[in-house]
Amino acid sequence: MLRTERTDYLHIEEVVTRLALSRYDIGFKLLHNGRQLFNLSPIDAPEQRGQRVAAVLGKSFLQHMLSLEFEAAGMRLWGWVGEPGYPRSQADAQYLYLTGPMIRDKLVNHAVRQANESTIEPGRNAAYLSSLETEPQQVDINVHPTQRRCRFPGSRV
């Protein structure tokens, strides 16, 4: 069964969005029905990453985010997390990149929910766009065929 044009387009837009938010060093252009949706130039300086985020996810997204950068135990976490007053009804603004590719991890999602349980009401979701950089041997990203799930050492997930 063929999908509708809109469904196919939304899948393509999601892939381009994920790539554009992980590879700042590459330019992206997305056209749909003669309309230009993205025309993103490559970014060299880390301090310009916010411009890319605003161009892809919207200025209001970035306005409600807090910058984060933390390094410990051979890992570096950087990016943005939503302000406590910026919960979302859907988990559509949750982007976690692990040494490059975007992942969805139950352990990370659980940690984010626990960290926000005192500031976000049940049924709402935190927003974040974060990159976790670590040595490749510290994580197994080949746990799932889509490589969108991973296994951290010591996790039982």
Side-chain angles (χ1 to χ4, degrees):
M1 175 174 12
L2 295 176
R3 296 179 176 148
T4 66
E5 179 184 338
R6 175 153 172 76
T7 301
D8 286 340
Y9 162 72
L10 290 173
H11 287 293
I12 292 167
E13 182 183 33
E14 179 186 349
V15 169
V16 173
T17 296
R18 284 186 296 172
L19 289 170
L21 295 173
S22 70
R23 294 299 308 265
Y24 297 93
D25 59 325
I26 298 175
F28 291 89
K29 185 183 251 186
L30 179 61
L31 303 169
H32 178 62
N33 290 336
R35 190 172 145 235
Q36 182 172 289
L37 297 150
F38 295 138
N39 188 8
L40 307 168
S41 300
I43 293 174
D44 297 324
E47 48 285 346
Q48 295 177 325
R49 290 176 178 159
Q51 295 170 1
R52 168 77 60 98
V53 172
V56 175
L57 299 176
K59 289 179 183 178
S60 67
F61 177 85
L62 196 58
Q63 289 171 345
H64 293 284
M65 302 303 268
L66 303 170
S67 180
L68 100 98
E69 186 153 354
F70 184 75
E71 199 165 335
M75 293 187 271
R76 179 175 172 252
L77 178 65
W78 62 271
W80 298 268
V81 292
E83 296 172 336
Y86 187 62
R88 301 180 54 92
S89 59
Q90 297 180 2
D92 62 342
Q94 296 181 336
Y95 299 91
L96 176 64
Y97 295 90
L98 180 60
T99 313
M102 184 177 156
I103 62 163
R104 298 251 185 241
D105 183 72
K106 290 179 185 181
L107 185 64
V108 171
N109 289 341
H110 180 70
V112 168
R113 272 194 306 278
Q114 279 190 315
N116 288 288
E117 68 185 354
S118 65
T119 58
I120 295 180
E121 61 216 48
R124 305 290 283 177
N125 298 281
Y128 57 86
L129 191 167
S130 301
S131 291
L132 178 61
E133 296 170 359
T134 186
E135 295 296 322
Q137 64 269 22
Q138 293 295 319
V139 66
D140 181 5
I141 198 156
N142 296 312
V143 172
H144 190 268
T146 64
Q147 294 188 338
R148 288 188 68 193
R149 296 187 186 147
C150 66
R151 182 176 296 128
F152 292 96
S155 70
R156 293 175 286 176
V157 178

